[in-house]
Amino acid sequence: MNPIKNQIGTVFIPVSNLAKARDWYCDILGLKADREISHGLYVIPLTGSDIVLDSNIYAIENLFKVPAFHLNTDNIHEAFEFMTSKGVELLTEIQPTRSFNFKDPDGNVLMVCQC
């Protein structure tokens, strides 16, 4: 039996200002920013893998230049309009793959996808 599980436990995102990033991500994801910030980390619990905002690893060269993962949506058009209304920096229009890319406040490139 293989001791490495075929699942992702968490995704670390480098952020420069942990409180600001926490508030932004929680707002975008519709979550309360009520968890403890500890040791330069903030865990955002999601269905499946969690996101850990990590100010310890922040450096310009560590930012995601391409999406390392995508956030799911059931309606790509509603998600696009929602992100537009939030003033999020959108990098692409909705693609034929039913996805679009955007940047977080630190410049990490992320994706929303309707799978």
Side-chain angles (χ1 to χ4, degrees), residues 18-89:
L18 196 51
K20 180 180 172 184
R22 172 203 60 199
D23 294 347
W24 187 85
Y25 275 91
C26 287
D27 179 50
I28 293 299
L29 296 169
L31 301 170
K32 291 183 180 179
D34 59 359
R35 300 176 70 109
E36 184 178 331
I37 291 176
S38 179
H39 305 290
L41 305 171
Y42 186 80
V43 179
I44 300 175
L46 302 177
T47 303
S49 301
D50 295 336
I51 290 176
V52 175
L53 303 176
D54 190 343
S55 62
N56 300 306
I57 63 171
Y58 177 80
I60 297 290
E61 61 271 12
N62 291 343
L63 296 178
F64 296 164
K65 293 171 182 51
V66 296
F69 64 93
H70 70 259
L71 297 166
N72 293 334
T73 184
D74 291 327
N75 187 316
I76 196 68
H77 298 285
E78 284 182 11
F80 189 85
E81 290 304 317
F82 173 77
M83 297 297 262
T84 300
S85 75
K86 292 286 186 180
V88 172
E89 183 179 352

Side-chain angles (χ1 to χ4, degrees), residues 70-74 76 97-100 111-115:
H70 70 259
L71 297 166
N72 293 334
T73 184
D74 291 327
I76 196 68
T97 55
R98 296 186 302 181
S99 67
F100 64 89
M111 177 186 286
V112 172
C113 186
Q114 180 178 334
C115 299

